[in-house]
Amino acid sequence: MNPVLLSASTAIICFLIAFILASLVEYWLHRLMHVNRKIGERHRDHHRRNEGQGVVWEFRDYVVGSLVVLPVMFFFSWDAGFGWLLGSLTYAAFSAYAHQLQHENPTKCFWMKMPVHYVHHKYGMWEHNFGLAVDWWDHVFGTYKPVEEWIGEKEIALSERGYLQLKWW
């Protein structure tokens, strides 16, 4: 096999695995925050305030929380490490943005039928809709709970804002 093609393939595969695995870890950590009192202390405050920290600070928290695993694939190869690091950071950025967007303008989450994190907060769903950026794992693990009429006057008013009009820091 062509070495350049092998190198690119390795990086792409590791990017995809890191992206998908990061979404799975995020889902399970969010679930854990709802059952473990010690781990969930800060999270309960998040539910009381019902707001995100800002995209930059959310991103920082996701990256700091994953620093241990970010360099792991570099032990296998530079290509695998680069793909893994890029996939992890891309998901962290996407998730930080999606989390903030769902708190400030949930109708803009076009990639989901229903913005699960927003509904999770709006309806106090302590045992449902744990996804932050994606709803895949809620479907896989049976925690997805649809709400047909989640869009009201408040959400319609928010929808006038643009995709980038949110708290960044």
Side-chain angles (χ1 to χ4, degrees):
M1 182 179 234
N2 181 329
V4 173
L5 186 58
L6 180 62
S7 176
S9 298
T10 301
I12 291 168
I13 289 168
C14 288
F15 175 96
L16 293 172
I17 291 170
F19 191 92
I20 293 167
L21 187 60
S23 70
L24 179 63
V25 168
E26 175 187 75
Y27 169 85
W28 279 105
L29 283 175
H30 190 194
R31 281 191 76 170
L32 183 61
M33 289 177 194
H34 282 259
V35 296
N36 185 297
R37 192 151 185 82
K38 187 173 176 80
I39 292 173
E41 188 174 332
R42 184 175 173 205
H43 187 66
R44 282 189 303 282
D45 181 55
H46 168 66
H47 270 269
R48 280 189 290 276
R49 290 181 292 104
N50 195 18
E51 63 185 14
Q53 308 175 80
V55 177
V56 170
W57 303 118
E58 295 286 341
F59 177 75
R60 179 208 55 191
D61 283 355
Y62 299 154
V63 171
V64 167
S66 61
L67 280 176
V68 174
V69 296
L70 289 178
V72 167
M73 294 304 284
F74 283 106
F75 291 109
F76 294 95
S77 74
W78 283 104
D79 304 328
F82 179 72
W84 179 264
L85 179 65
L86 196 57
S88 300
L89 293 176
T90 299
Y91 188 79
F94 172 58
S95 186
Y97 171 78
H99 183 243
Q100 194 67 38
L101 187 66
Q102 288 189 67
H103 279 284
E104 293 188 41
N105 198 351
T107 61
K108 296 293 190 207
C109 296
F110 64 86
W111 59 93
M112 289 186 273
K113 182 178 178 183
M114 174 189 77
V116 288
H117 187 70
Y118 178 75
V119 169
H120 171 82
H121 276 267
K122 182 176 180 178
Y123 297 103
M125 295 182 167
W126 210 250
E127 297 181 14
H128 298 283
N129 299 330
F130 295 103
L132 295 185
V134 294
D135 59 4
W136 310 329
W137 303 113
D138 284 302
H139 288 283
V140 169
F141 294 110
T143 54
Y144 184 83
K145 186 173 184 180
V147 175
E148 297 301 322
E149 300 297 324
W150 66 269
I151 299 177
E153 289 180 26
K154 176 186 174 187
E155 292 81 12
I156 291 169
L158 290 172
S159 70
E160 298 300 318
R161 299 172 67 199
Y163 285 94
L164 301 177
Q165 289 179 299
L166 31 102
K167 181 178 175 184
W168 286 90
W169 42 81

